[in-house]
Amino acid sequence: MTNRYNTDFYGWTKEQADLLRSGSLGQLDTQNLLEEIESMGNSQRSELESRLEVLFLHLLKWAFQPSHRGRSWQLTIAEQRRKVARRLSKSPSLKRELDEMTMDAYGDAILSAARETGMDEKTFPKSCPWTFDQVMDSEFYPD
């Protein structure tokens, strides 16, 4: 079973699904199944954190480069807000981890903003200056 996992992942997934459907639980590759299930959860978390980073990046650029504001940034902010909200609605248990993800994503966004704007990282607030509700509010744009 493990050999198939290593040599034909797609085939392995189909085989595991068939075993589950037929109730053949004793034949399941439980070790690899557990790892894959945990990996799926981690990818959901990573996606949300990545969306938050892009959202924070564009909010920072909006706040610190007012002369560069444009429709593109506005649409990116709106898109990321929708995608964050959708991910949270599909996986509401991720809300418990929002504080940590916000801190991590905001820290990454500072570095991205510094790279994209040419400004020093110290230009930007060290911790996120906005509440999550503000960040997700479709009317909110920092000035």
Side-chain angles (χ1 to χ4, degrees):
M1 195 75 65
T2 300
N3 189 34
R4 181 128 195 229
Y5 174 82
N6 293 323
T7 60
D8 182 7
F9 182 75
Y10 179 76
W12 176 86
T13 63
K14 293 298 186 188
E15 187 174 80
Q16 296 305 299
D18 289 342
L19 290 169
L20 281 168
R21 273 188 209 92
S22 70
S24 304
L25 304 182
Q27 295 177 39
L28 289 171
D29 181 1
T30 53
Q31 181 180 347
N32 286 316
L33 272 173
L34 288 170
E35 287 179 22
E36 290 304 321
I37 290 169
E38 287 174 341
S39 176
M40 287 187 310
N42 289 336
S43 80
Q44 298 298 306
R45 187 186 191 287
S46 293
E47 180 194 344
L48 178 57
E49 192 173 310
S50 177
R51 300 283 177 204
L52 286 169
E53 179 188 346
V54 173
L55 178 54
F56 290 139
L57 165 64
H58 282 80
L59 290 172
L60 285 169
K61 292 193 309 185
W62 188 274
F64 287 86
Q65 285 191 314
S67 63
H68 291 74
R69 291 177 184 165
R71 184 85 173 127
S72 173
W73 286 0
Q74 211 171 15
L75 290 172
T76 297
I77 290 168
E79 174 188 20
Q80 296 308 312
R81 283 175 171 153
R82 285 176 49 91
K83 289 182 177 184
V84 165
R86 191 165 47 245
R87 175 56 44 223
L88 286 172
S89 109
K90 289 182 179 181
S91 298
S93 62
L94 285 170
K95 290 176 186 173
R96 292 189 301 253
E97 300 186 38
L98 270 176
D99 288 344
E100 181 184 341
M101 281 189 284
T102 295
M103 204 168 59
D104 291 344
Y106 182 77
D108 293 342
I110 289 173
L111 296 175
S112 295
R115 183 184 63 247
E116 289 190 21
T117 65
M119 297 175 177
D120 190 276
E121 303 100 87
K122 294 178 181 134
T123 304
F124 307 103
K126 193 172 188 161
S127 60
C128 186
W130 314 295
T131 67
F132 186 75
D133 288 340
Q134 285 176 309
V135 167
M136 295 302 292
D137 181 351
S138 63
E139 302 297 314
F140 174 76
Y141 290 89
D143 285 320

